[in-house]
Amino acid sequence: MVDVCFSDSVKGSLHLARRGFQGFVGGAVGIITSEEISREERKRLEEKARAEAEERARNALPLAGEPRKVLGLSFSLSMGDIRAPMEGDCPRRALIRRWLTADPWGELEDAERAAEEFWQGSLRDLAELSALAGKEKVRFWVGSGPDSLCGLFAAAGILAEAGGEASAVLLPPWEERPDGAAVTWRGWG
């Protein structure tokens, strides 16, 4: 099974999910209350939330499969012509390069190299999906954002030509927590 997603953040999350979460708790922990609380109370609540996250990580079962079989088609296909070829100095490559090298505060080091590595990594994943099409099952991780949906249509076109088998995991529009709170997710990452 090959997992395909449409963002490098999601790709990293899926790699981690396949490897296992033991010893890793990522993300931010914050506390939102409707009343004012003391610093000590906020710190206690943050520590409790962090401990709960660590407990979930200890109990999490890794996602089946090899981490190397996670592909990220991070081409931001919601912008521009999704039919345009991804070769040479194509418009999409230039667009992504502009995004990744934008540095209004002069803080980035070697942004050009990082942008090129990002582009080449996405191209490698696209080539691997094309090579595996029709040979291995593919599972798409589809969020509600336009890049994810446009990426799904483009990748499904590759599989359709090869007669490949695919399934999709759709990001739920919301989740109700045990305490009754409703959480809306913006992406898989």
Side-chain angles (χ1 to χ4, degrees), residues 9-65:
S9 177
V10 177
K11 182 179 178 181
S13 295
L14 286 170
H15 273 283
L16 186 60
R18 282 191 167 189
R19 190 194 71 176
F21 291 90
Q22 288 71 23
F24 179 85
V25 175
V29 173
I31 304 299
I32 299 172
T33 67
S34 58
E35 63 228 25
E36 200 166 316
I37 60 173
S38 69
R39 283 185 182 191
E40 294 79 20
E41 179 65 6
R42 187 188 75 219
K43 186 173 182 165
R44 185 189 72 72
L45 291 170
E46 287 173 350
E47 288 172 1
K48 179 182 174 197
R50 187 167 281 109
E52 290 170 355
E54 289 170 358
E55 181 66 20
R56 284 191 304 273
R58 274 191 297 279
N59 294 323
L61 297 175
L63 185 64

Side-chain angles (χ1 to χ4, degrees), residues 136-159:
E136 195 158 345
K137 292 180 182 178
V138 175
R139 176 174 48 199
F140 294 110
W141 292 82
V142 184
S144 59
D147 284 340
S148 185
L149 296 172
C150 290
L152 173 65
F153 291 132
I158 293 170
L159 293 180

